[in-house]
Structures are given as C-alpha cells and as structure tokens.
Amino acid sequence: MADFQTMRAAGSATRSALIDEGLKAHMNKVYATMSVGMVLTGAVAWAVGTNDAMMAAIYGTALKWVVIFAPLVMVFAFGAVINRISAAAAQLFFYVYASLMGLSLASIFAIYTGVSIAQTFLVTAIAFAGLSLYGYTTKRDLSGFGTFLMMGLIGIVVASIVNLFLASGALAFAISVIGVLIFAGLTAFDTQSIKNEYIQHAQMGDSEWLGKSAIMGALRLYLDFINMFMFLLQFLGNRE
C-alpha cells in the first residue's frame, strides 16, 4: 500500500511538472503570436498612415467605413468558426485580422505626432507587461471581475457609438478614462483566464483545444493592448 501511495504521489508530481512546463510553452506562444500581430498592425498602420495617396483613397471615400468596422466583424466571425478550422488556419486568420486592424488605425499617424505615438506605445507596453504579469502570478481569483468588466466594456462601446453623433468632448474624456481602467483590468483578468483554462484542459488531455487556444489567447491580449493604447493616446498624444 505504501509503495502504491508513493508511486501515485510521484505520478502526480510528474504530471504537475509536465503541466507547468506545458503552461510556460503555451504562454510563450500566446505572447509570441500576439507580438507578431502587433508588428503587422504597426507596420501596416505606419505604411498607410504616412502615405497621403493611400490615406485619401481609403479615408476620403466610403471605403473608410469598411476599414473601420471590418475588424469588429472579423472578431465575431473568428468566434463563430474557431471550432471548425485548424490551428494553422486560426493563426492565419489572426494575422489577417491584425493587418486589417493596421488599416483601421492608420489615421493616428495623420492625427498625432510620431514621437507621441511611440511614447504612448512604450507606456502601454510597460503597463501591459505589469498587468499581465500580475494576472499570471497572483493567487487572487479574478474571475469575479469578469462580469463587471464586460458590462463596462459594453457600456463604453455604446457610449462611443453615441458620441460619434454627439461629438461631446466631455463624454469622450470620460470614455477614455473608463476605457483605460477597463482594459487594464481585462489584461490581468484575461491573462489569468488563459492560464487557468490551459491547466484545466491539459489535465483533461484535450489536445485539440490546446492546439487553438494559444491563438485565441493571443487575440484576447492583443485586443486588450490595442484598446488600452488607443485610449491612452487620447491623453498622451500630441496632435499634428
């Protein structure tokens, strides 16, 4: 009996070590995929935003509405097809999405100075890294904040749409403040969720899910970063 208990304890320790090792590899893939997406977004945004002819062709016509709303449509499409496509197709889908997001963000180079964009990106990167590290290492359960954060997210989306017609400076300022706070919270929340979901599925041996989960995690953190950056840019950006 003692030998059996020892073997079972050793087996549990080995399994736990394998899950920890797999988790590190999983999180590295999440961050690496997200980073490639960020590079694609930045490159496309810079290339288009600094080209007057391309800006006129896109933002001087009705095509701008396609560019603005296409990323939102793709996010919903991604959620609908993720279970029916391969991991490689999901990764390609994410990279196409990140490139299209670059088109949507190209106008910031016509509105803000390049220096202020770079400074805001650096501030966002530092804040994101700290918040994501907190979400990964904290023992506190952040799941209780999920509903609150999602309600806040829906609220700022609705308020942003309304403000497209009102053009209220005070409302825009309030949206920016709340937006930074919400996406700061979501960064920590999503990081912990990605970690916990991996551990849960790894224990069940769900290899099919694990193949796509890194791309889904990268998309979640990518959106947190991009949105936090855009809200901070409204505070820190110097206009041309």
Side-chain angles (χ1 to χ4, degrees):
M1 177 64 72
D3 290 341
F4 174 75
Q5 294 291 352
T6 301
M7 292 174 61
R8 186 170 68 175
S12 298
T14 301
R15 183 166 63 252
S16 179
L18 289 174
I19 290 176
D20 287 343
E21 183 179 348
L23 175 61
K24 293 177 182 178
H26 178 75
M27 295 304 296
N28 285 337
K29 184 175 181 180
V30 169
Y31 289 122
T33 304
M34 173 196 165
S35 297
V36 173
M38 293 298 302
V39 170
L40 287 172
T41 298
V44 171
W46 178 83
V48 175
T50 56
N51 186 310
D52 292 340
M54 293 185 69
M55 286 294 292
I58 295 174
Y59 288 92
T61 66
L63 184 60
K64 69 179 181 180
W65 297 111
V66 176
V67 170
I68 290 172
F69 288 106
L72 181 61
V73 174
M74 287 190 70
V75 165
F76 288 110
F78 186 79
V81 304
I82 185 64
N83 293 323
R84 300 197 297 270
I85 60 177
S86 66
Q91 188 169 28
L92 177 60
F93 191 103
F94 171 69
Y95 290 150
V96 171
Y97 170 80
S99 300
L100 188 57
M101 182 64 84
L103 282 178
S104 182
L105 300 182
S107 60
I108 66 174
F109 286 94
I111 299 173
Y112 301 98
T113 64
V115 172
S116 67
I117 292 173
Q119 290 174 338
T120 304
F121 182 87
L122 179 61
V123 170
T124 307
I126 294 172
F128 177 89
L131 291 162
S132 190
L133 180 62
Y134 171 77
Y136 185 82
T137 59
T138 184
K139 301 300 183 182
R140 182 178 182 181
D141 183 7
L142 303 178
S143 60
F145 293 97
T147 301
F148 171 78
L149 291 170
M150 290 308 299
M151 288 176 62
L153 177 58
I154 293 171
I156 62 171
V157 169
V158 173
S160 297
I161 294 174
V162 170
N163 206 38
L164 287 176
F165 302 97
L166 297 180
S168 169
L171 180 56
F173 180 81
I175 291 171
S176 298
V177 172
I178 297 172
V180 169
L181 295 175
I182 287 175
F183 283 102
L186 280 172
T187 298
F189 171 80
D190 284 337
T191 302
Q192 187 180 80
S193 295
I194 293 167
K195 173 185 175 181
N196 291 340
E197 288 167 5
Y198 175 86
I199 294 173
Q200 178 183 359
H201 285 271
Q203 290 174 338
M204 295 187 298
D206 192 351
S207 59
E208 182 179 356
W209 181 91
L210 294 175
K212 302 175 185 177
S213 59
I215 293 93
M216 293 188 290
L219 176 62
R220 290 167 68 178
L221 293 181
Y222 168 91
L223 289 172
D224 293 338
F225 188 104
I226 287 291
N227 282 284
M228 188 159 53
F229 167 75
M230 291 301 296
F231 283 122
L232 282 172
L233 189 61
Q234 296 182 43
F235 292 115
L236 304 178
N238 294 322
R239 294 180 178 271
E240 294 280 10

